[in-house]
Amino acid sequence: MSTSEGLDPLRSEAARLGLELDAEAVSRFARYLALIGEWRQRAGLTALREPAAIQQRLFGESLALLVALREAGILEGGEGAAVVDIGSGAGIPGLPMRIAEPALALTLVESHGRRCEFLETAIAELHLAGVSVRRMRAEEAGRDGELREGFELAVARALAPLPVLVEYALPLLRPGGLLAAPKGSRAREELRDAEAAIEALGGHALEPLPLSLPEGEAPQLVVLVQRAGELPERYPRRPGIPRKRPLS
């Protein structure tokens, strides 16, 4: 595995968050960073080019989400929650969360073939047990017999507006499970826009959590939607329909 040189931005952000990364985690982050650099263009992983920006924005914000969920009592350190990362792309936020919290049982749902190849390569090279990749669209995952109602927590980063994301995520959650999605300045507006979708999918919106970001960064909130009631069989709708015709 690669050395941990050049990870000062990550170390600084982890320290700011009060998160301890052991030597194995740091080594994994170093190799993960190198893999993103190797695959970035051919798999369309991220527009970020600089290693420091990748550490701060992708790794750091993923760790901030983990810390927010821990502080809210949603995730407990050392407990093996079943987590699904929807539209995982470069593995964000799921893989950084899993590197920092080895107990998580993580499923990465991604429809893009090259990105799935990258994710499978990363899992193998980082020696991450209990992590799997499912190549399918979110709507297909929500109807898959192994995945539907199979998770305690769903996470997603910059995937879709909240009314669409709710239809993707809630069918994957067990009763009582939570969708946790970082959102920017329109977070509360998106929550209002998603009221019909949340109700239709048997959900309940909780008070958003603040996401701890470095000074000068645009503020974000972690939107929380809990699977509270019955999940109608008709959801999710066919691939493409939730985005084309969001519930309203």
Side-chain angles (χ1 to χ4, degrees):
M1 209 174 282
S2 171
T3 68
S4 59
E5 295 177 2
L7 288 188
D8 286 347
L10 174 66
R11 286 193 175 95
S12 175
E13 189 59 9
R16 188 188 66 80
L17 292 165
L19 191 63
E20 292 187 15
L21 298 177
D22 61 21
E24 185 175 44
V26 172
S27 181
R28 282 174 167 152
F29 271 117
R31 183 60 189 139
Y32 186 20
L33 180 64
L35 286 169
I36 289 176
E38 293 167 17
W39 286 73
R40 188 184 70 81
Q41 285 190 297
R42 60 173 153 156
L45 296 180
T46 176
L48 298 173
R49 295 173 178 269
E50 296 299 321
I54 291 170
Q55 292 174 62
Q56 291 163 352
R57 293 289 309 282
L58 302 188
F59 298 172
E61 290 183 15
S62 300
L63 296 180
L65 175 60
L66 175 65
V67 169
L69 295 173
R70 281 181 174 177
E71 290 180 346
I74 294 167
L75 285 178
E76 299 289 342
E79 290 192 3
V83 180
V84 59
D85 181 355
I86 307 169
S88 189
I92 305 298
L95 284 183
M97 293 174 64
R98 166 60 181 78
I99 292 170
E101 178 47 85
L104 296 180
L106 177 65
T107 299
L108 307 172
V109 173
E110 172 57 52
S111 63
H112 189 284
R114 276 284 175 86
R115 291 176 197 146
C116 287
E117 290 178 31
F118 165 77
L119 293 171
E120 288 165 350
T121 299
I123 291 166
E125 294 205 16
L126 303 183
H127 307 289
L128 296 175
V131 183
S132 63
V133 179
R134 299 297 296 269
R135 183 181 175 183
M136 57 179 59
R137 294 182 59 142
E139 301 96 326
E140 295 169 329
R143 291 201 167 276
D144 183 274
E146 293 181 11
L147 303 182
R148 185 177 175 91
E149 299 190 76
F151 300 92
E152 297 162 60
L153 179 69
V155 294
R157 181 183 185 273
L159 177 63
L162 193 59
V164 179
L165 185 55
V166 164
E167 188 168 352
Y168 289 167
L170 264 64
L172 293 166
L173 294 173
R174 300 168 185 165
L178 281 171
L179 163 65
K183 292 285 184 179
S185 60
R186 292 191 64 253
R188 293 190 183 276
E189 186 179 343
E190 284 198 49
L191 266 173
R192 290 192 292 272
D193 292 344
E195 286 176 356
I198 292 170
E199 182 177 358
L201 272 292
H204 172 67
L206 305 180
E207 180 63 21
L209 303 173
L211 196 67
S212 177
L213 299 176
E215 188 174 350
E217 293 290 327
Q220 295 184 43
L221 290 175
V222 182
V223 171
L224 299 175
V225 180
Q226 187 169 41
R227 164 88 193 283
E230 287 296 316
L231 175 65
E233 180 59 36
R234 64 183 177 275
Y235 298 120
R237 292 170 292 170
R238 296 193 314 277
I241 299 299
R243 193 177 284 272
K244 186 177 180 180
R245 295 201 299 271
L247 296 167
S248 61

